[in-house]
Amino acid sequence: MMLFAGAVGSYRHQTVDEERFLRIEELFNKAILYEEVLSSSAYLYAWSSEASWWERYAQFHPLLDEQINFLESASDTQEEKNLAAQTKRSNDASVDMELQVVRMVDGGRPMEARGLLLEAEYQRQRADYRMGITKWHAMKAEKIRRNRFLVKYLALATMVLGFFFACVIGAIWLITIRFIRLFEGEKKLERQATMRTLDLYLHFFDATPNGLFLINAKTFLVENASSFFQKTLGYSHEDVIGKKIGDVPFFRESPEEMSCLEQLREKKEAWCDTHVIPAKDGRPLWVEGRGVRFVMDQSDMICWSLYNVTDRVQAEQELMNAKNQFESFVEKSHDAVLILQEGVLKYANCRAFEMVGYTSNELLGRSIFPLIDPRDRQMVMARYDARVKGEAVPIEYPCRVQTKDGHLIQVDIGAALVEFEGRPAVMAILRDVTVRKKVEEDLSIAHEKIEEGKKRLELALQSGKIGIWDLDLHTNQMTKISRYDEIFGYQQFQPNWDMETFFHHVHVEDRDRVKREINSALKTGTLKTQCRIVWRDGSIHWIEQVGIVVDNGDKTAKRMIGMTRDITQQAE
């Protein structure tokens, strides 16, 4: 009875170990899978900004935490607990960076988010996580295997001793059958756990624009694959499944893929950087590849993942083309274009260096505020700081800049807040207005002199009782200024004045003579006449008129300009 009870106890202990081994295997596979799902979702969200990827990330995040918590609770020895703690720290660091990526994308900074995912620190944390979970799994598996061996040995010894007294041959037969069933059950459980993980993995990749391929590491036959090669690449089931990778077109025509798959014969993991594979219709598709080698049903298998990054690559190319076009436009500009970040010059076109006389090595990476004239420096710095803080400041304003050779130039600055390399910056456009300002100053001085001359002329005309007039010979309308109306006896300005009005004021005895002299002046080009005029009060006054004829360039008379002077006192 004691031997029978010991055998039953050994059987039950072995059953518990089998269940625990299955749970450990499932934990390991899920921990690897969920971490890959989170990383893939973060990558896809950073490059596509689609909300579905963030939802998928949020869906799998608590599942991974659940597996890691179980990993800690299942640790028995201090070494296992240390590995579990290290794995949790690496996972927490990776998740923090992935959540930071989500915040960057939501904040409109996708380029900075992509850069964070490509940083070595993120890749190191992921590698530490995988190394920690793999070592922990290997340690637990080895411990369970040792326990199994001891339990099996004890069970065997107990059964041999128990059945030795009954029937040695029967005992040997029963033990043999039991061991066969145990080994078959173990293989079946391991295969079921692996297949559940692969089915979940394939199901996830079927819902994404990415591909997953299950390849035999020895024969290089493609045993299974997600629908990527059908939906995205356009190949049929017969073109891929059951074929050697050398016979699959998109593998065969991609040296990068073939090289990485060859590496997986010896390595556990392999990475393939961004490269091109052809679709069936000839379209180029940009992808990145990752592979891991594992054992399934005593066969070395390769799980090869292809990530479709075509949209990301095309967006980067469009961004690069736009950047090149912008730089080409800026370099051809006649104005200086600067980009300042944290008070330091990050970019300047050729015109900027020509304007101040410095080289790029002398200015890039340094502050340009010392080049501003001390009288304007404080104002320019204050407006720069206010603009960076988002405060309202003038878009354009003038200032003075000192060149390398000591000259002072005047510029108009136009500035705006922009984003440069993922961070806020200020783009400033400087236009050299030194010549324009000099011309404006000269014009202002000339205008002042002209105004002064006009005042002096007006004073001279008033003191000499002289009136200036301009006669249009086609319309006979006369434009007059100064004291002209006063000479004819009017204290107010007379708006309508023509030759008929003029002759109406000329004394009747002088009228015909004056007409003849004016007609003669049209031929000779000059007029000089004296005559009497009659004011409205009947008083008679003497005037002298002097004028010249102005033609159109074809010797056709157009205007006559001249002056009228009151000579009454001289005539009397």
Side-chain angles (χ1 to χ4, degrees), residues 243-261:
K243 299 280 188 179
K244 287 189 175 182
I245 60 172
D247 298 329
V248 178
F250 53 86
F251 282 134
R252 182 180 63 246
E253 298 181 22
S254 174
E256 296 87 354
E257 298 275 345
M258 296 299 293
S259 175
C260 288
L261 288 169

Side-chain angles (χ1 to χ4, degrees), residues 111 114 313-324:
M111 295 301 296
R114 299 168 191 169
V313 172
Q314 290 176 348
E316 290 175 349
Q317 290 175 346
E318 291 175 0
L319 182 62
M320 182 59 66
N321 292 337
K323 181 179 178 183
N324 292 336

Side-chain angles (χ1 to χ4, degrees), residues 396-399 410-414 429-433 436-437:
E396 296 183 3
Y397 55 89
C399 80
Q410 300 187 48
V411 299
D412 282 346
I413 298 179
I429 299 177
L430 278 65
R431 174 165 294 178
D432 188 346
V433 295
R436 191 190 76 190
K437 292 289 186 182

